Structure formats: structure tokens, C-alpha cells
Amino acid sequence: MLEVLMLVLAYILGSVSSAILVSRLFKLPDPRSHGSNNPGATNVYRLGGKVPAVLVLVFDILKGTIPVWGAYFLKIDPLMLGLIGVAACLGHMYPLFFSFKGGKAVATAFGTLLPIGLSLGGMLIATWILIVAITRYSSLAALVTVSLAPLYTWWIKPLYTLPVTFLTVLIIFRHRANITRLMAGEEPKVGAKKKAPEQE
């Protein structure tokens, strides 16, 4: 019963779209219909600058961290921890309170992994920065980083490898449009002026 409650709470928390709420607070255009049409930190940065974007990023990370950390301290088993993390990400992707139109949950997925260890978080950040520096493709960096997350987890805490794999599959599935554009050479690079849907 406790596990089911945590699943529901994780989804509800994930459904709180910080991109939309922060945009309203700062009187910015709705990120669902302006810029890249994606309610995430990257689009909010495009529409309103650093301060609102940072607020969105921090809250999106916390949406993943809070329910998973809570479940960890409640001694919920690793498999269910993974499902709770997935529930938070599904809430971000398909928010109950915003017509089920959300973002791609990269920041939220990152937040769900932080309770495993700060070393894992550091490895993920370093991987993302490295791939962006080499390719200038933010979506590719997200895909490579999330694909390596199960391997990093196996090195640090093997017990959580399977739950992290759940998140990897979910994030890759949500990026299928980006994968298509990458293969076609149509994905915009970081800093490009062309306005097109981005990964987070």
C-alpha cells in the first residue's frame, strides 16, 4: 500500500509543470506554444533568460529527487524505487494538471538518480558536457548520457542497475523525434538560431 501511495505521489509531483508556472510568474509566453513549444528549462531560457530557466531546472530536478529519496528512506525495495522514479518522469512528460502535455523529463530523470550518489550525478553531468562540447547536440548528449547511466550505476551501486535501466528506456522513447532528426541531419545544435523542438 505504501508503494502504491508513493507511486501516485511521485506522478502528481511530476505533473506540476514548473516551466508553465514560472512562465506565468514572470509573465512570459506559454512555453507550450512559443519557442520550441516544449515546457522545459531550455525553452524557458529562450523565452525569458537565465533566472526563470534556473528556477525551472532546479524544480524539475527536485520533482525526481524528492519522491525517490523519500522512498529510499522508507526502505522501499530497489525495483519499486525505479518505478517511483519512472512515475515522476511520466508526470513530467504527461502532466495531469496541464492536459497531459509536458516535457521530456531529462532534468527530472537526473533528479531521480541523485539519491544513488553524488558521484553518479557528477559522472552524468560530465558526460553531458563532454558530448555537447564535441557535437553541440544537446539531445544527443542527453541520449548518450542516459544510455551510460545504467553502466555508471553498475559501477557505483549495482543494486540499482535495473531501476535505472527503466529510466533509460523511458527517456530514449521520449526522444524518438530527436533521434529521427539526428539521423536526418536536421536536429538543431546548441546556440543555433533555428527554432525547433529541443530535448529538455
Side-chain angles (χ1 to χ4, degrees), residues 18-42:
S18 58
I20 297 173
L21 296 177
V22 169
S23 294
R24 291 176 181 174
L25 178 65
F26 283 82
K27 300 186 184 328
L28 302 175
D30 190 327
R32 293 171 295 179
S33 55
H34 292 79
S36 68
N37 300 325
N38 184 57
T42 298

Side-chain angles (χ1 to χ4, degrees), residues 18-186:
S18 58
I20 297 173
L21 296 177
V22 169
S23 294
R24 291 176 181 174
L25 178 65
F26 283 82
K27 300 186 184 328
L28 302 175
D30 190 327
R32 293 171 295 179
S33 55
H34 292 79
S36 68
N37 300 325
N38 184 57
T42 298
N43 198 29
V44 171
Y45 174 75
R46 176 184 295 107
L47 298 171
K50 293 180 180 179
V51 173
V54 168
L55 290 175
V56 171
L57 180 64
V58 170
F59 187 76
D60 282 353
I61 291 173
L62 289 176
K63 288 195 304 186
T65 301
I66 290 172
V68 173
W69 220 321
Y72 177 81
F73 281 110
L74 289 172
K75 301 189 184 303
I76 291 176
D77 69 82
L79 182 60
M80 187 56 65
L81 275 175
L83 293 177
I84 290 169
V86 169
C89 291
L90 285 174
H92 181 88
M93 293 175 179
Y94 308 103
L96 177 65
F97 309 118
F98 298 95
S99 304
F100 300 100
K101 296 179 180 179
K104 296 185 178 176
V106 174
T108 302
F110 175 73
T112 67
L113 299 178
L114 285 180
I116 294 176
L118 293 179
S119 57
L120 175 60
M123 293 170 72
L124 295 172
I125 292 172
T127 300
W128 187 89
I129 291 174
L130 177 63
I131 300 302
V132 167
I134 293 172
T135 69
R136 294 182 58 219
Y137 285 116
S138 181
S139 58
L140 179 61
L143 288 164
V144 172
T145 301
V146 77
S147 296
L148 289 173
L151 177 60
Y152 293 162
T153 303
W154 180 74
W155 283 342
I156 297 170
K157 287 187 179 180
L159 185 64
Y160 296 102
T161 302
L162 182 59
V164 171
T165 302
F166 291 164
L167 288 171
T168 295
V169 172
L170 181 63
I171 299 301
I172 291 175
F173 172 79
R174 195 67 171 89
H175 278 77
R176 59 195 184 279
N178 299 85
I179 294 172
T180 299
R181 289 196 297 271
L182 284 165
M183 293 178 67
E186 298 172 353

